[in-house]
Each structure stands twice: as C-alpha cells, then as structure tokens.
C-alpha cells in the first residue's frame, strides 16, 4: 500500500457515528464534515491518480444482454505448409508474442529443393539466352547475321523467359517470398522453408513436433491479434429494432467492475427459432489483454441519448459504510471526500445527482487508494 508521507485526514461525522477510533499513534480528528488528503505530485503519480473535470453529458439509453468473448476472426491467421515437408526447427512457442515477419518454424522439403534446383537451372538458361539475344542484335544491325537467325534467338529467349516465370511461380506457391527467391542464387543449402508471422499477435495454437512429416495444407500454428476481440450477444426479437451497426457498446466481464468499449459491427439475419433472439457481434478494444475467448460478459449497447446528466466513471465512486463517496481535487494535491447521490450506472458511467458540481475535478483513477487512506485514518470502509 502506498505510504503518504504528507497526508492529513480529518474524521467525518460518519466516523463518529460508528465510534471509529483514530489509527494507533494518532489523536482523534476534529470531526469536521468530509476528509482531506494532501499529496505531493510524486505521490499522485505513484498512486496512479487521475482527475477529470465533470461536465454535463447526455445519458445513454441501453439494451443489455449476456455475451461471450471470441477471437476476432479477421485478425486470426492459420500458419500452414503449402508443400510436403518435415519440421526442421521451431522458433516460437505457444503463448509467445510475435511481430510481423518474425520466424515461426522452419521446414525441410524434398519437393521444394527440386523446385529450387529447377529455378536455378532455368535462371541460368534465361541469362544465357538474354546475353545471346543482346549479342545477335548488335550483329544484325551490322548485317553480319540474318534476321531469320535473330528471330530464332528471340524465340529461344522468350521460351526461357516463360520457363523462368513458371519456375518462380512454383516457388511462390510453396510459400517463398521474393527475397527468398532472390537469395537462392547465393545459397548452398536448399529445401529449407521458413514460415513467418503475417502480422503481429499471439501464438494461440501450436500442434507439431520436430521431425514430424507434414502434408501440404497442414496447419502448424495460429496467430491472432488480440488488441480487439469479438463479443457475440443474443438480442431478443422485441429489442432488435433498436440495434444498428455502428452503435457504441460496452462489455463488463463477470465478477469485475471493468468496462471495455467498442461498437456493433454485425447483426445476424436469422432468428433462433427456439429463443427468438438474433445474434449481434460487437468489436471490443481489449485493453491490457484482459478479454479472452470463452469468457462470459454483460454487454450494453447504446441505443439513444437521454437527458443531460453529470456523468463520471464508476471507478470514481467508492462505498464507505452506507455512503457513496468521490474525491474532489479542491486545489493541486488537495483531495476532499464528498458524499454523493448517484443514479443508474450505464456503460461504465454513473450519474451524480448530488454532491458534486459541473466543472469540479473528480478522481476517476486511484480513488480506491484514497479511500484506503481514509480508512486507515479512522473511516470504516466496506465493500469497495
């Protein structure tokens, strides 16, 4: 727990009513209404305290439904071998974070080695035919060789060019990149194919062994970018007309107070014949990688704007006994305890009905730390 060197707290009437004593080594407070905590800028930073000036905002009317987290399928990539091969080397493991282009696994393939050898041979033939064509063009200009001979060499060059393109296409189809193909002319070992990450993400599937023989089309890994996830919710038929693509959404994992924001991206076009619900897909920003496939969440979808209210994050409101409180920064580093009355919580926000005025700076992150300091000084805090 953060130790506040310069903090001073005055016990409130609430503390007197419950007969709470000052902490050991301290005298009783003056029992003035409210509590004051003074912090230095260093202490504020250490506690992660963030304040926000409250303004009147339109309350959001919402539709609430249970949901299940799933991978964003558009950010999920199968890492597959496109040629018969044997696993030669592993570069990452299950759960690893990878960057785009990072090595994942290296394969050894006889078919690939043959295709590479064919490419090198075809490349050499193409180079010779190109040089021969250039030489005969000069001679033809000097009338030293006939046009018929020049045309014959042109035909040979065109055939070699087509052969080279076909050989290159075969290598592309096996998974080699342009850089891989270019480097073949300088290599001494052939048949090795390194599969790389198509985008940044996490290795979420990894089912292969060194030395394992794989047929073309076998999936070795899955890479997914978890910065955004999907949440699949079921909306009753009676509420479906209120839901539209693009509406804001918020999800709250079971047993937590965290809310993750996103939007409606898809509404399924078929109702479940038994439950009379339609599937709605939300795209949610997965802050700090806390949402994982299979988790159950409570989802809220904003359908319309209501009356203007003084809204604040749910994290700003702390419970102290039977009271709800927030902390207002009266001046730099001075945080005052305020008892408040609140309205209904929605999408991670709650309306303040009494206790704080528009424009006042309220602690929206770190309020729990301040509430704990009050508790240590004599305020009995329950059920944060």
């Amino acid at each position: 727990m953060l130790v506040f060197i310069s903090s001073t707290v005055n016990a409130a009437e609430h503390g007197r009513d419950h007969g709470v004593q000052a902490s050991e080594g301290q005298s009783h407070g003056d029992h003035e209404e409210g509590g004051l905590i003074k912090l230095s800028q260093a202490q504020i930073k250490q506690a992660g305290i963030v304040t926000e000036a409250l303004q009147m905002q339109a309350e959001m009317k919402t539709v609430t439904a249970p949901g299940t987290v799933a991978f964003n399928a558009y950010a999920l990539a199968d890492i597959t071998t496109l040629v018969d091969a044997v696993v030669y080397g592993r570069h990452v493991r299950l759960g690893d974070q990878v960057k785009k282009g990072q090595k994942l696994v290296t394969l050894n393939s006889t078919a690939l080695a043959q295709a590479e050898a064919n490419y090198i041979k075809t490349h050499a033939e193409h180079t010779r035919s190109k040089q021969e064509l250039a030489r005969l063009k000069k001679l033809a200009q000097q009338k030293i060789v006939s046009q018929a001979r020049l045309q014959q060499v042109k035909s040979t060059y065109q055939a070699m060019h087509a052969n080279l393109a076909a050989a290159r296409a075969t290598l592309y189809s096996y998974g080699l990149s342009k850089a891989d193909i270019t480097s073949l002319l300088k290599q001494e070992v052939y048949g090795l194919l390194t599969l790389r990450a198509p985008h940044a993400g996490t290795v979420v599937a990894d089912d292969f062994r060194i030395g394992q023989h794989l047929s073309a089309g076998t999936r070795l890994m899955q890479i997914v970018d978890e910065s955004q996830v999907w949440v699949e919710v079921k909306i009753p038929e009676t509420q479906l007309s209120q839901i539209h693509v693009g509406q804001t959404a918020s999800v709250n994992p079971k047993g937590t107070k965290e809310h993750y924001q996103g939007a409606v991206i898809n509404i399924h076009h078929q109702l479940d014949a038994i439950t009379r619900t339609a599937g709605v897909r939300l795209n949610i920003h997965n802050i700090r990688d806390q949402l994982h496939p299979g988790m159950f969440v409570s989802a809220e979808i904003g359908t319309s704007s209501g009356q203007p209210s003084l809204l604040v994050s749910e994290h700003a409101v702390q419970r102290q006994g039977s009271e709800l409180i927030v902390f207002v920064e009266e001046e730099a580093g001075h945080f005052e305890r305020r008892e408040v009355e609140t309205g209904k919580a929605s999408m991670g926000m709650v309306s303040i009905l009494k206790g704080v005025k528009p424009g006042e700076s309220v602690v929206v992150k770190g309020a729990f730390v301040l509430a704990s300091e009050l508790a240590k000084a004599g305020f009995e805090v329950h059920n944060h």
Side-chain angles (χ1 to χ4, degrees):
M1 177 65 66
L2 177 67
V3 178
F4 294 126
I5 298 174
S6 62
S7 55
T8 60
V9 181
N10 298 320
E13 287 294 328
H14 172 73
R16 182 195 304 170
D17 292 344
H18 287 76
V20 179
Q21 301 297 317
S23 58
E24 184 177 349
Q26 291 181 320
S27 61
H28 292 288
D30 295 333
H31 299 298
E32 296 175 359
E33 185 175 354
L36 180 65
I37 298 178
K38 299 179 182 179
L39 304 178
S40 67
Q41 289 301 311
Q43 291 168 336
I44 291 173
K45 183 177 180 180
Q46 184 181 0
I49 292 173
V50 177
T51 61
E52 182 179 293
L54 298 193
Q55 303 294 334
M56 299 296 289
Q57 305 176 53
E59 272 190 274
M60 186 66 71
K61 295 181 180 180
T62 63
V63 168
T64 303
T68 305
V69 178
F71 283 135
N72 177 352
Y74 298 152
L76 183 64
D78 287 341
I79 308 304
T80 304
T81 174
L82 301 178
V83 60
D84 290 353
V86 173
V87 179
Y88 182 80
R90 175 196 296 273
H91 306 295
V92 297
R93 298 179 183 277
L94 187 67
D96 284 355
Q97 299 290 320
V98 299
K99 299 178 180 179
K100 182 179 180 179
Q102 183 174 333
K103 292 181 179 180
L104 302 176
V105 58
T106 297
L107 307 177
N108 191 349
S109 169
T110 301
L112 176 61
Q114 293 173 345
E116 290 175 336
N118 181 60
Y119 173 80
I120 293 171
K121 175 185 175 182
T122 305
H123 186 276
E125 292 173 345
H126 176 266
T127 299
R128 286 195 298 271
S129 65
K130 184 177 181 181
Q131 293 172 344
E132 179 67 6
L133 177 60
R135 187 181 71 86
L136 287 187
K137 278 184 177 180
K138 292 180 180 179
L139 295 177
Q141 290 174 353
Q142 300 173 12
K143 308 297 184 181
I144 297 176
V145 297
S146 65
Q147 289 297 317
R149 173 60 178 155
L150 178 62
Q151 187 58 45
Q152 183 182 18
V153 173
K154 280 184 179 181
S155 298
T156 301
Y157 168 75
Q158 290 170 351
M160 292 299 100
H161 187 77
N163 290 342
L164 181 62
R168 185 183 291 114
T170 298
L171 296 179
Y172 280 137
S173 71
Y174 286 166
L176 269 66
S177 66
K178 184 177 181 180
D180 292 333
I181 295 174
T182 301
S183 66
L184 283 177
L185 302 177
K186 301 177 182 179
Q187 289 181 195
E188 295 183 358
V189 178
Y190 303 100
L192 296 182
L193 172 63
T194 298
L195 304 182
R196 299 175 181 272
H199 55 66
T202 305
V203 179
V204 294
D206 173 14
D207 187 18
F208 65 90
R209 302 176 301 280
I210 301 297
Q212 180 180 352
H213 181 269
L214 305 171
S215 301
T218 301
R219 190 192 78 184
L220 290 88
M221 292 182 175
Q222 279 189 315
I223 306 293
V224 64
D225 179 358
E226 293 185 288
S227 61
Q228 296 182 348
V229 295
W230 286 350
V231 172
E232 303 288 347
V233 299
K234 299 293 185 181
I235 302 296
E237 181 180 7
T238 55
Q239 296 178 312
L240 195 57
S241 62
Q242 302 177 52
I243 308 301
H244 306 285
V245 171
Q247 288 173 325
T248 58
S250 173
V251 301
N252 167 230
K254 299 293 184 181
T256 76
K257 288 187 177 181
E258 298 297 327
H259 289 264
Y260 300 87
Q261 308 302 316
V264 176
I265 60 170
N266 183 263
I267 301 172
H268 300 318
H269 292 260
Q270 185 172 355
L271 288 176
D272 186 293
I274 298 175
T275 64
R276 305 308 297 170
T277 60
V280 173
R281 179 176 295 160
L282 313 178
N283 189 62
I284 302 297
H285 299 288
N286 189 14
I287 307 300
R288 298 183 301 279
D289 192 27
Q290 297 299 302
L291 299 176
H292 302 289
M295 291 178 64
F296 294 112
V297 297
S298 176
E300 291 180 284
I301 300 173
T303 56
S304 62
S305 297
Q307 295 296 320
S309 300
L310 196 60
L311 299 181
V312 66
S313 168
E314 284 187 86
H315 293 290
V317 181
Q318 300 292 308
R319 179 170 293 280
Q320 192 174 59
S322 61
E323 299 175 351
L324 296 177
I325 65 168
V326 299
F327 292 93
V328 177
E329 190 174 26
E330 293 284 356
E331 56 182 277
H334 291 207
F335 300 94
E336 181 187 22
R337 169 191 181 277
R338 295 271 189 92
E339 182 182 352
V340 296
E341 293 181 10
T342 63
K344 181 181 177 182
S346 176
M347 299 185 74
M349 305 294 286
V350 62
S351 60
I352 302 295
L353 306 179
K354 183 180 179 181
V356 180
K357 298 177 182 178
E360 289 190 299
S361 293
V362 173
V363 175
V364 294
K365 291 184 180 180
F368 172 76
V369 177
L370 298 179
S372 298
E373 284 302 303
L374 285 183
K376 289 196 304 181
F379 286 88
E380 188 176 335
V381 181
H382 303 284
N383 303 325
H384 298 304

